[in-house]
Amino acid sequence: MQIKNSAVSMIIDAADEKELEEIKLQFLGKSGKLTLALKEITKVPIERRAAVGSLANDVKKTIEETIKNHESRIMNQESKTRTEKLDITAPGIKPAIGHLHLITQAVEEISEIFRHIGFTRVRYPEVEWDKYAFEDLNFPKNHPARDDWETFFIKQDPDPKKGPMILTPHTSSGQIREMERKNPPIRMLNIAKCYRRQSDVSHSPMFHQFEGLVVDKNISIAHLKGTLDYFVKSYFGEDRRSRIRPYHFQFTEPSFEVDVSCGMCKGHGCKLCKEGWLEMGGSGMVHPNVLRNGGIDPKEFTGFAFGWGVERVLMMKEGIKIDDLRFLYSSNLNFLEQF
Ligand code: DAH
């Protein structure tokens, strides 16, 4: 009994195959403890010999079985550690590194381009008074943009001086704010979120615009055209050209639509463009009424302004294909990680 207990506990404690082999020899080997004990059986009186013999055989069987079980457990463990061995020289798993959102990248790039020619980046309220978004920009009272089918109204009961409160539908509302804040010379770049009641593959209710305003003595259309050309070449590439077409905006006179030569067909005309040109946005010479509303004398100063969509210029850039503008705001990593 004593032999059995001590053998079993030693077997269970054995850490590896080698140790187990030694224990086996110690009990079951030629001069092992159990082998010697079995030899002693001949000395046991004949009437008790059978009982002692069968007990001794039980002990032998238990020891053998315990050894076998433990042996297979040790073998399993060893093969596992052999395959799971840590290779400290193997390259590690790289943590996923994010990047700035596509729109943020574009905003930074655009700001940097204009910073080089002296434009200061400003930001004005996105929850804005009608006065800044429409009234002082020369919009007539019945203009469709002032309807709540077009614009989001925050407060219908108007402020006696500033009118109703709205979500600004364009960055042009920064023009009067800048004129109130600063005397000429003015060279501002207002980049902000804008809001309109629209939603389809190329429009979302929230989008971004960048608005330039320059007011100084003797500012002419040539300055506008030069600035526009510089931006187009810096942002889209040296081989791209710009043009202005007569148009109408309430707050500029004369007003223009700005086009960029198509990057796909290099201006020859293709499926993507209108005879080689892509429309980028509006611009013009600041209307004298707007200068006056901003406290600037139009006889002394002139200016130009432009307002273009961040999403639009991004989608016009070579190599960026976005089927649905709303993907940009979906937080879908499969989409965003492509850029
Ligand atoms: N605010 C106009 C829009 O959202 C764009 C625009 C046109 C801005 C002409 C200007 C401008 O500064 O001169 O459609």
Side-chain angles (χ1 to χ4, degrees):
M1 248 358 205
Q2 222 184 345
I3 290 180
K4 183 174 131 186
N5 289 346
S6 73
V8 168
S9 76
M10 279 171 81
I11 293 163
I12 288 169
D13 285 345
D16 52 28
E17 266 184 286
K18 205 175 141 216
E19 220 174 287
L20 206 60
E21 198 53 42
E22 276 165 16
I23 296 166
K24 210 168 165 181
L25 275 176
Q26 216 180 102
F27 289 93
L28 306 176
K30 256 191 194 157
S31 44
K33 282 182 191 158
L34 189 67
T35 320
L36 294 179
L38 285 174
K39 278 184 187 156
E40 295 292 301
I41 284 181
T42 48
K43 293 181 188 152
V44 173
I46 193 97
E47 62 278 13
R48 284 182 57 219
R49 203 175 290 166
V52 171
S54 104
L55 187 70
N57 271 332
D58 275 356
V59 171
K60 193 179 174 198
K61 230 163 117 191
T62 309
I63 292 175
E64 278 171 351
E65 266 168 23
T66 314
I67 286 176
K68 222 165 114 197
N69 288 344
H70 199 63
E71 203 167 38
S72 65
R73 205 175 320 137
I74 284 177
M75 300 256 277
N76 271 346
Q77 231 167 35
E78 279 189 352
S79 74
K80 229 183 194 175
T81 45
R82 222 172 285 136
T83 51
E84 280 177 8
K85 225 173 231 168
L86 179 69
D87 177 2
I88 56 161
T89 64
I93 300 163
K94 275 196 190 147
I97 298 173
H99 60 72
L100 292 176
H101 190 277
L102 209 49
I103 297 290
T104 313
Q105 288 178 29
V107 166
E108 289 196 351
E109 193 180 343
I110 293 164
S111 310
E112 188 58 18
I113 290 172
F114 281 102
R115 194 178 65 82
H116 278 279
I117 50 169
F119 281 73
T120 303
R121 169 102 187 262
V122 295
R123 284 190 79 172
Y124 288 116
E126 288 164 12
V127 181
E128 184 57 290
W129 299 105
D130 171 282
K131 167 185 158 70
Y132 294 103
F134 297 124
E135 186 67 27
D136 284 1
L137 290 180
N138 211 30
F139 278 73
K141 287 268 184 277
N142 60 355
H143 193 281
R146 292 172 102 157
D147 195 285
D148 59 8
W149 285 104
E150 292 258 341
T151 296
F152 293 105
F153 284 77
I154 297 292
K155 247 201 220 164
Q156 282 291 1
D157 53 320
D159 177 272
K161 286 204 181 105
K162 296 181 263 184
M165 186 178 263
I166 56 172
L167 293 182
T168 192
H170 55 182
T171 43
S172 303
S173 49
Q175 291 192 16
I176 296 287
R177 289 227 175 236
E178 180 75 357
M179 292 182 211
E180 280 183 355
R181 188 180 71 92
K182 204 173 171 293
N183 290 324
I186 287 173
R187 223 183 281 182
M188 75 146 203
L189 186 71
N190 176 29
I191 310 187
K193 293 189 179 77
C194 304
Y195 305 85
R196 288 184 200 173
R197 298 188 66 151
Q198 54 184 20
S199 185
D200 58 48
V201 289
S202 54
H203 297 93
S204 87
M206 185 279 296
F207 59 101
H208 299 75
Q209 281 189 342
F210 57 111
E211 181 95 10
L213 174 69
V214 171
V215 182
D216 205 345
K217 289 189 168 144
N218 302 317
I219 294 295
S220 72
I221 296 173
H223 294 112
L224 164 63
K225 188 69 172 71
T227 306
L228 167 63
D229 243 25
Y230 161 77
F231 172 73
V232 166
K233 293 199 183 318
S234 312
Y235 187 74
F236 296 105
E238 278 301 317
D239 60 333
R240 306 289 281 273
R241 286 169 297 130
S242 72
R243 73 173 184 187
I244 52 176
R245 276 183 290 114
Y247 203 70
H248 171 75
F249 293 104
Q250 295 296 336
F251 39 97
T252 42
E253 185 56 38
S255 303
F256 310 103
E257 272 241 292
V258 167
D259 294 338
V260 180
S261 62
C262 176
M264 279 280 280
C265 63
K266 306 277 172 244
H268 297 300
C270 68
K271 267 195 275 179
L272 187 78
C273 62
K274 276 192 223 147
E275 290 156 8
W277 296 93
L278 297 162
E279 192 184 302
M280 192 162 77
S283 71
M285 301 307 290
V286 183
H287 197 292
N289 288 350
V290 175
L291 288 173
R292 235 174 264 122
N293 291 338
I296 293 172
D297 182 359
K299 288 202 191 81
E300 200 183 340
F301 295 99
T302 50
F304 71 79
F306 57 84
W308 304 325
V310 174
E311 287 82 351
R312 178 171 272 256
V313 296
L314 188 65
M315 286 167 84
M316 283 163 65
K317 198 165 177 155
E318 220 45 59
I320 296 183
K321 301 258 174 304
I322 303 167
D323 295 334
D324 188 332
L325 183 87
R326 293 166 296 186
F327 282 157
L328 285 169
Y329 311 110
S330 67
S331 300
N332 180 344
L333 288 183
N334 286 338
F335 170 75
L336 294 172
E337 279 172 355
Q338 296 175 71
F339 305 101

